[in-house]
Amino acid sequence: MNHPFNLHNELASIQASNLYRHRQVLDSPQGIEIESAGKCYLNFSSNDYLGLANHPDLVAAFRTAIDHYGIGSGAAHLVCGHSAPHHALEEELADWVGRERALLFSTGYVANLGVISAWLSKTDAIFEDRLNHASLLDGGLLSGARFQRFQHADCNDLQRKLDKSTAHRKLIVTDGVFSMDGDLAPLQGLSTCAQHSDAWLMVDDAHGIGVLGAKGQGSLQVAGLDQSQAPVLMGTLGKALGTFGAFVAGSEELIEFLIQRARTYIYTTAMPAAVAEASRVSLRLVQTDDWRRQKLVGLVTRFQQGLTQLGIQPVNSTTPIQPILLGDSQRAMEVSMGLKQRGFWVTAMRPPTVAKGTARLRVTFSASHQDSHVDRLLDALDQLL
Ligand SMILES: *Cc1c(COP(=O)(O)O)cnc(C)c1O
């Protein structure tokens, strides 16, 4: 029983603290209506914010590309896996976000690991918002740089920490939109701190790209920060763009450096070319279909007004991420379960994904939702809270 690899006790302790996780099997495409174990649910948990994951134009582009390129890319980008669709997508992404170049990665998680660890080492320092995504924290730890967390969205705290640092190079890293809270990073303030302290600013815009900005260029466009003010932008393709993968955008030199040194770029198989083709079509829709972003704004406003009427204080978020804070993990699970029984899919987020004592329902909206869906969710919440 006491063998060091015996995991029984660890699993039991996860269970005892109400933090055990189970996967649920879907039998339908991603969308606002999903099916699992023979039942249908109205989905308020997806990151498919613009409703593009199962869009017929993307599906058609994917099919056509598979007929030409097959399924697997066969190798890493630097070997023989970098095909015309990858290359074209990189150019179009760079154009869109107003950076010199962009580089595709297989996922956002590995993009963050790759960029940070390629760049920083022991003599450097990294400054991260306390609520940054796990992949940014992991990238910082992997790099071996001196790791410092600043208070959430607090430029003064950051500046104090920068002032004390004697590190060779300093990198400030933040989510553009915080994934569990939906609020925006104070990007202008962070950029000012960076300029004061000769630091660089890296923004992970996984939840802002596609959703914010005139043509969906994300939170950096909203904040008006160009490549010199925010040299590294990481965006994902698996959320608002509805496909899979990620990109890093920045200067010519940054991208060339990553091609030479980012291990999670070099030592991994390129995404299928058909995914890149589907992403190119998605990127066009993201730019032209401003109505999708407008629709989200309307849904969020309606939801917040509804919550207020129910006596529930909405969170400080204008994005489609609208969490309802419950605090206790067990309570969050119970409400999530109650919603499930009523036909709503709303995932409870518990530690360690969120801080201890801040368990929540992470409600997200999609441009495919209708006002009536919001109203039905509000009715169910009224019964359960
Ligand atoms: C989802 C997410 C990632 C990871 O992106 P994947 O492509 O899913 O690996 C990175 N950062 C943030 C803030 C995210 O929300």
Side-chain angles (χ1 to χ4, degrees):
M1 266 319 253
N2 283 330
H3 189 277
F5 284 126
N6 189 322
L7 301 175
H8 179 82
N9 290 345
E10 293 199 28
L11 288 171
S13 104
I14 298 172
Q15 192 115 44
S17 40
N18 278 307
L19 297 177
Y20 209 88
R21 291 147 192 252
H22 298 273
R23 298 166 308 162
Q24 293 164 90
V25 181
L26 256 62
D27 297 307
S28 63
Q30 195 54 232
I32 50 159
E33 276 164 6
I34 51 178
E35 196 187 313
S36 178
K39 280 190 68 180
C40 282
Y41 298 91
L42 200 49
N43 183 11
F44 291 98
S45 285
S46 177
N47 299 317
D48 178 25
Y49 301 120
L50 299 180
L52 295 174
N54 190 32
H55 190 286
D57 292 0
L58 273 69
V59 173
F62 192 80
R63 278 215 181 98
T64 308
I66 278 178
D67 285 342
H68 188 87
Y69 293 98
I71 311 286
S73 66
H77 283 276
L78 292 179
V79 180
C80 61
H82 186 67
S83 55
H86 297 120
H87 209 75
L89 175 60
E90 287 181 345
E91 287 175 354
E92 289 158 9
L93 287 166
D95 252 13
W96 177 47
V97 295
R99 264 64 184 164
E100 284 168 22
R101 297 243 334 244
L103 188 69
L104 289 177
F105 282 78
S106 299
T107 69
Y109 190 101
V110 302
N112 284 337
L113 289 192
V115 173
I116 298 172
S117 64
W119 229 358
L120 299 185
S121 60
K122 280 200 192 84
T123 51
D124 305 321
I126 186 164
F127 302 82
E128 300 217 20
D129 188 291
R130 288 195 77 80
L131 298 188
N132 273 357
H133 189 260
S135 56
L136 294 171
L137 305 175
D138 292 355
L141 295 174
L142 179 64
S143 74
R146 195 187 142 109
F147 193 95
Q148 301 200 53
R149 286 182 168 192
F150 57 91
Q151 294 302 317
H152 176 54
D154 186 341
C155 298
N156 294 328
D157 188 41
L158 169 63
Q159 190 61 59
R160 274 192 297 277
K161 293 193 157 76
L162 284 166
D163 289 345
K164 280 192 211 141
S165 172
T166 55
H168 176 49
R169 286 181 297 189
K170 300 168 199 164
L171 180 65
I172 302 165
V173 183
T174 186
D175 283 22
V177 173
F178 287 89
S179 48
M180 294 297 136
D181 295 80
D183 58 331
L184 305 181
L187 291 175
Q188 285 173 348
L190 296 176
S191 156
T192 306
C193 287
Q195 278 159 35
H196 268 301
S197 306
D198 258 334
W200 269 29
L201 175 61
M202 169 172 177
V203 177
D204 171 343
D205 211 17
H207 299 276
I209 209 85
V211 173
L212 303 173
K215 290 192 169 158
Q217 303 97 317
S219 49
L220 283 169
Q221 201 246 357
V222 173
L225 298 182
D226 63 18
Q227 185 177 291
S228 68
Q229 294 154 313
V232 194
L233 161 62
M234 198 292 288
T236 58
L237 306 175
K239 288 167 180 156
L241 273 92
T243 61
F244 187 79
F247 66 95
V248 173
S251 71
E252 174 76 30
E253 284 184 349
L254 169 71
I255 300 306
E256 283 301 318
F257 175 73
L258 293 176
I259 293 172
Q260 316 310 315
R261 285 290 154 80
R263 294 168 65 84
T264 64
Y265 181 77
I266 299 168
Y267 298 108
T268 200
T269 301
M271 68 166 69
V275 171
E277 268 307 278
S279 303
R280 295 180 67 201
V281 171
S282 172
L283 179 54
R284 267 171 250 149
L285 290 174
V286 166
Q287 294 180 74
T288 53
D289 288 7
D290 193 44
W291 66 266
R292 294 177 191 275
R293 284 179 284 278
Q294 299 301 329
K295 181 104 174 278
L296 281 169
V297 172
L299 294 164
V300 166
T301 307
R302 189 178 187 90
F303 182 64
Q304 293 200 332
Q305 284 168 351
L307 281 184
T308 308
Q309 277 166 16
L310 300 181
I312 302 164
Q313 171 78 32
V315 293
N316 173 31
S317 159
T318 53
T319 66
I321 303 169
Q322 294 290 321
I324 298 173
L325 283 161
L326 295 170
D328 178 56
S329 291
Q330 190 172 350
R331 169 112 170 101
M333 288 305 285
E334 282 166 7
V335 180
S336 174
M337 213 79 86
L339 286 167
K340 203 82 182 273
Q341 283 157 4
R342 289 165 172 77
F344 299 91
W345 193 292
V346 183
T347 308
M349 294 292 176
R350 296 166 287 167
T353 307
V354 296
K356 240 181 157 172
T358 70
R360 66 199 65 187
L361 298 173
R362 182 174 180 269
V363 175
T364 55
F365 292 102
S366 153
S368 304
H369 282 124
Q370 304 298 338
D371 284 353
S372 59
H373 298 142
V374 176
D375 297 347
R376 278 164 59 192
L377 176 63
L378 286 163
D379 279 347
L381 288 169
D382 190 24
Q383 290 166 30
L384 287 161
L385 292 176

